């Protein structure tokens, strides 16, 4: 048997594609990962990684070896978690976009914990598309059209959007006509939706606005924060914008949100049987999404 530390380092490096990221996931240094991988390669007498370029890539032998040892390592991990877990408790790992987590899910976690006290919910908040099998994630909330290879996707919540700004934003002050105010406003762009303003304007038969002087933010939550601070007009997406509209921190000069054509879907790996705990979380999330859909945000003009 090869040294288990070397196997563990190889497994992490193969999953992450970078020795540095693998080291961070295991709490050791990049050089320690490199040393352990080299140790395993010496033991097997074959190269497992191609180290040319900025990152590392599995060789054909490395891919074959990963496919064969991955199930065993995951079985060890699962068995260990089960031994450490208190009797009668279930663990569910859910991945979702950070903005959706911060503005929609996390404020409701207290209610989930009260209604499901025997389930430990672990959140993986990331903009990265997580490989559910590889990263041992039970469920994912994904944004898009509902088609992802190898996943079962169930509709969760329709996305709708509307321009929003601070109540005293000058472009719309004093009852100014919204379309004229739109072309005077400083626009805030969410980097993951770079064409959002052009698409919004064209859908309404309006001339696409100039983005000269626009502010670009990485995430929807950041864009909403900038708009709330009075620095421009953001395209607020439901349900992330709902809470700010409800308390009057933002207003919607053009009124109600309109569907964007995308939605949020609840996904799981198609070949992985759901656990009882993950089924209970699915039902709770579906109920929460239905509650959100039937409680429209209050658009204040």
């Amino acid at each position: 048997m090869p040294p288990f530390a070397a196997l563990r380092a190889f497994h992490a490096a193969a999953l992450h594609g970078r020795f540095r990221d693998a080291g961070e996931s295991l709490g050791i240094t990049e050089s320690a990962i490199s040393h352990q991988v080299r140790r395993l390669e010496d033991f097997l007498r074959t190269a497992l990684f191609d180290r040319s370029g900025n990152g590392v890539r599995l060789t054909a032998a490395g891919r074959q070896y990963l496919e064969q040892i991955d199930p065993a390592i995951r079985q060890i991990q699962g068995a260990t978690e089960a031994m450490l877990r208190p009797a009668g408790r279930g663990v569910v790992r859910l991945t979702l976009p950070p903005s959706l987590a911060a503005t929609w899910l996390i404020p409701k976690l207290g209610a989930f914990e009260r209604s499901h006290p025997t389930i430990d919910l672990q959140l993986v908040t990331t903009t990265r598309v997580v490989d559910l099998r590889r990263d041992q994630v039970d469920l994912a909330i994904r944004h898009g059209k509902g088609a992802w290879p190898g996943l079962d996707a169930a509709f969760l919540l329709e996305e709708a959007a509307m321009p929003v700004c601070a109540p005293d934003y000058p472009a719309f002050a004093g009852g100014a006509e919204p379309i004229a105010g739109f072309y005077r406003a400083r626009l805030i762009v969410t980097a993951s939706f770079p064409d959002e303003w052009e698409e919004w304007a064209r859908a309404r038969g309006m001339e696409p606005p100039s983005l000269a002087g626009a502010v670009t933010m990485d995430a929807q939550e950041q864009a909403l924060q900038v708009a709330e601070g009075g620095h421009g007009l953001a395209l607020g997406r439901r349900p992330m914008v709902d809470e700010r509209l409800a308390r009057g921190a933002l207003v919607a000069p053009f009124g109600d949100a309109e569907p964007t054509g995308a939605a949020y879907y609840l996904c799981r790996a198609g070949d992985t049987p759901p656990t009882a705990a993950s089924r209970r979380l699915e039902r709770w999330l579906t109920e929460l999404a239905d509650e959100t859909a039937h409680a429209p945000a209050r658009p204040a003009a």
Side-chain angles (χ1 to χ4, degrees):
M1 288 286 291
F4 188 74
L7 282 176
R8 191 164 173 249
F10 163 72
H11 186 257
L15 296 186
H16 289 280
R18 292 167 61 97
F19 285 175
R20 183 179 64 187
D21 294 344
E24 290 177 358
S25 73
L26 297 181
I28 59 179
T29 65
E30 180 179 356
S31 61
I33 291 287
S34 180
H35 171 75
Q36 291 292 351
V37 169
R38 184 70 70 184
R39 186 181 180 193
L40 182 60
E41 289 177 323
D42 291 342
F43 182 91
L44 297 174
R45 300 178 185 176
T46 188
L48 299 172
F49 287 101
D50 177 359
R51 292 168 172 79
S52 61
N54 295 329
V56 293
R57 292 180 301 164
L58 287 167
T59 62
R63 284 193 298 272
Q64 182 180 15
Y65 194 58
L66 175 66
E67 291 172 2
Q68 293 172 340
I69 70 166
D70 181 66
I73 290 180
R74 295 192 184 280
Q75 187 173 1
I76 292 170
Q77 291 172 335
T80 303
E81 288 180 1
M83 289 292 291
L84 295 173
R85 189 181 310 141
R89 297 195 67 81
V91 176
V92 184
R93 299 191 77 205
L94 169 70
T95 183
L96 71 166
S99 293
L100 187 66
T103 58
W104 181 68
L105 181 60
I106 291 176
K108 303 290 186 180
L109 284 186
F112 175 78
E113 291 173 349
R114 288 190 295 272
S115 60
H116 299 85
T118 61
I119 297 178
D120 294 328
L121 178 58
Q122 299 177 355
L123 298 183
V124 181
T125 59
T126 179
T127 56
R128 178 174 61 90
V129 178
V130 172
D131 186 315
L132 303 189
R133 298 179 190 83
R134 186 190 71 187
D135 294 337
Q136 295 184 293
V137 173
D138 300 285
L139 296 169
I141 298 178
R142 288 192 176 175
H143 174 270
K145 303 291 187 180
W148 293 276
L151 298 184
D152 291 339
F155 173 84
L156 188 63
L157 187 65
E158 183 178 56
E159 181 188 67
M162 57 189 144
V164 294
C165 61
D168 57 353
Y169 187 62
F172 301 98
E177 202 276 325
I179 293 179
F182 174 70
Y183 289 107
R184 291 196 302 268
R186 185 182 192 185
L187 299 182
I188 303 167
V189 180
T190 303
S192 51
F193 304 101
D195 301 322
E196 59 183 355
W197 283 115
E198 180 179 352
E199 293 172 358
W200 183 86
R202 289 192 185 280
R204 285 148 190 83
M206 296 165 57
E207 190 70 22
S210 169
L211 295 181
V215 180
T216 300
M217 306 304 296
D218 288 337
Q220 169 78 165
E221 174 67 8
Q222 296 171 342
L224 296 178
Q225 288 174 350
V226 173
E228 186 176 347
H231 303 297
L233 186 70
L235 197 61
R237 286 175 154 76
R238 296 202 62 206
M240 280 84 78
V241 73
D242 289 3
E243 188 273 337
R244 285 180 166 88
L245 286 170
R247 61 181 168 88
L250 292 175
V251 297
F254 288 85
D256 288 332
E258 297 181 16
T260 66
Y264 290 97
Y265 291 82
L266 188 57
C267 306
R268 59 182 175 85
D271 58 359
T272 304
T275 65
S278 69
R279 281 293 194 194
R280 290 163 66 188
L281 176 61
E282 285 185 52
R283 287 194 294 270
W284 184 82
L285 288 170
T286 301
E287 291 170 0
L288 178 60
D290 187 62
E291 177 185 313
T292 301
H294 287 87
R298 182 188 65 199

